[in-house]
Amino acid sequence: SPYQAVIVGSGIRRGKWLAEAVDFVRDHQEALSRVPTAWFLVCLTMKDDTPENRAEVMTYLDPAREAAPKVKPMAVGLFPGAVDFDKLSFIAGTMLQAKGVAQGDYRDLPAAQAWAVGAAPGLVGANPRS
């Protein structure tokens, strides 16, 4: 593969990375284990960036870690997301509303950009893993 580094990210549904992201990491773990890799996720839990929320959200990556144990991300980004009940299925929207989730856009693009800038030297300057 011609890639020298890879960033893999996903939104969170039911406390997990999307299945497509987990499948990608699992299916390409051999190649990903040989290049610097970073992961990120976007979820509403991070709208309140507390140590407790960070600890909880890090567990959302467990399915990816279990599916691709050879991949060791050198950086992990945790970012708040957005929720628009009109874009969700009736059931998903109803479940979130029942949990007291407020509709809104909590994305923090400057924080995501700062993370990317901070992660870039490790991704670009790192030696490929063997």
Side-chain angles (χ1 to χ4, degrees), residues 13-14 44 83-103:
R13 297 290 184 275
R14 296 185 195 112
L44 286 178
V83 63
D84 181 347
F85 293 128
D86 293 336
K87 293 183 179 180
L88 299 173
S89 70
F90 174 76
I91 292 172
T94 301
M95 287 175 54
L96 288 177
Q97 287 176 332
K99 289 182 174 184
V101 172
Q103 179 168 279

Side-chain angles (χ1 to χ4, degrees), residues 31-119:
L32 292 172
S33 71
R34 291 190 295 272
V35 296
T37 304
W39 293 353
F40 73 90
L41 61 80
V42 178
C43 70
L44 286 178
T45 305
M46 288 307 300
K47 77 180 179 71
D48 298 316
D49 189 351
T50 65
E52 296 80 15
N53 284 353
R54 282 184 163 273
E56 175 185 341
V57 169
M58 286 298 287
T59 68
Y60 298 169
L61 294 170
D62 288 349
R65 286 188 194 100
E66 292 166 8
K70 293 180 180 181
V71 180
K72 308 291 185 207
M74 52 74 57
V76 175
L78 311 175
F79 306 109
V83 63
D84 181 347
F85 293 128
D86 293 336
K87 293 183 179 180
L88 299 173
S89 70
F90 174 76
I91 292 172
T94 301
M95 287 175 54
L96 288 177
Q97 287 176 332
K99 289 182 174 184
V101 172
Q103 179 168 279
D105 187 343
Y106 306 99
R107 293 175 292 185
D108 185 345
L109 297 182
Q113 290 170 332
W115 175 81
V117 168

